[in-house]
Amino acid sequence: MYGASDPAAAERTAFRRAEKQYKLYKLPNLKGRSRSRSKPAGVEGGGGDLSAVVDFHALLAGDGELPAGIGRCDCAGFDRPVFCFLDRPGFYFIPGALSTEEQCYWIRESLKTFPQPPNRTNLTAIYGSISDLFIAAKNQKILVEVENPDVQEKNEQNNGGKPRSKNFKFVDDSEIQKGADCRSTTATTLVRKLRWSTLGLQFDWSKRNYDVSLPHNKISDALASLAKNMAIPAMPSGEEFKPEAAIVNYYGPSDMLGGHVDDMEADWTKPIVSISLGCKCIFLLGGKTRDEVPTAMFLRSGDIVLMAGEARECFHGVPRIFTESDHQEISALVSQLSISRVHWFEVAS
């Protein structure tokens, strides 16, 4: 349910208005001059107000009563604080679930390991199977088109057996013959274009379903263990979460994730485990239709969101990534890694 049959109608919904409000928000200028754009017609709040955004980290640090409609969940066998919305059964927010060291580990995994074949990415359909993309970018490699039967066979295996007329490999700049007529792209450019990768069972975005015929590896034991442990608040007592697939979303400075419902899994009784890494963003949680006014909340690096039960049917999205502000909130990460984008994991069984 990623689109609407009537785009004009979608523009008039409460969810769409909230998306516009936060998409257009601009941080105040450090000299006191507003950098907000003028308020467009039909958008309440324009671009200058974040007062309605729920900050679970502030609630965690506070000693007072929780705002109306927000509760804390006590879960046996789970040692982290968990918040919930009383009118959205099945939604759980775990602030600061991951330590700085854990965040750094999963950020490295998201860049080095998760885009590795046989995992497919948004680049696969264009360039075929690409190995060691992040390492190639660090070494300033260039991807060039080649004619190689072995490469073609490998690409066909990772493309569901469909033939590919073009094949690519990474080379050094010195290996490209001057004046040669060949298609080339720097590895750094490809990293910037990376938007998603799929782990475990491979999701076919063109058909909007999981294709069990595509080559794939099981989700790593480390990621499966993390998802299983974090899913405890959303699981029936005595049951374990066993993830079979994951979609990793990579967000750039101006990116957003439009309102949608994750409705392609066969078993909706199991939760979605969403892990946020990197820059802070705004997450919108709506209702079962776009006409219901969504609740906005800050998602910070290391936060985890669970969506189970009725919450699985709720529209949700990310209208805004905060990258123009200073990196004070993620200074511990910046000191160990070079971060300019947020990485968001969704693990679904």
Side-chain angles (χ1 to χ4, degrees), residues 6-189:
D6 183 356
E11 291 290 320
R12 297 191 294 267
T13 65
F15 199 100
R16 182 57 176 159
R17 289 196 296 271
E19 286 181 319
K20 283 188 173 182
Q21 173 186 342
Y22 295 114
K23 178 69 174 177
L24 295 174
Y25 173 81
K26 291 293 183 181
L27 293 174
N29 189 289
L30 294 178
K31 296 182 180 180
R33 293 178 298 174
S34 174
R35 292 165 52 193
S36 302
R37 300 175 187 173
S38 58
K39 182 167 65 174
V43 178
E44 298 179 3
D49 187 9
L50 297 181
S51 60
V53 182
V54 177
D55 189 341
F56 285 106
H57 284 253
L59 297 181
L60 185 63
D63 298 324
E65 294 184 1
L66 294 176
I70 296 178
R72 291 191 66 158
C73 306
D74 296 324
C75 179
F78 196 76
D79 60 357
R80 293 171 174 82
V82 182
F83 292 93
C84 61
F85 293 110
L86 303 182
D87 62 346
R88 291 288 185 267
F91 179 85
Y92 304 90
F93 194 108
I94 311 173
L98 301 181
S99 68
T100 298
E101 291 73 19
E102 289 172 320
Q103 293 171 50
C104 288
Y105 173 80
W106 290 113
I107 288 172
R108 291 189 183 99
E109 286 292 283
S110 73
L111 292 173
K112 292 184 177 181
T113 306
F114 293 164
Q116 286 284 81
N119 297 340
R120 295 166 62 82
T121 74
N122 59 296
L123 304 174
T124 304
I126 303 173
Y127 301 103
S129 178
I130 300 178
S131 298
D132 301 322
L133 172 60
F134 186 66
I135 294 175
K138 289 183 64 176
N139 294 329
Q140 299 183 334
K141 297 282 188 176
I142 299 174
L143 191 72
V144 298
E145 185 177 340
V146 297
E147 292 184 6
N148 187 325
D150 294 334
V151 174
Q152 180 167 343
E153 181 180 356
K154 184 177 181 181
N155 280 338
E156 289 181 10
Q157 290 175 353
N158 286 282
N159 198 43
K162 300 175 184 178
R164 296 186 56 85
S165 58
K166 300 182 184 299
N167 307 290
F168 298 83
K169 73 172 183 178
F170 285 117
V171 300
D172 292 318
D173 183 50
S174 59
E175 297 180 59
I176 300 179
Q177 297 180 1
K178 291 186 177 181
D181 184 16
C182 67
R183 182 179 174 184
S184 64
T185 307
T186 65
T188 303
T189 297

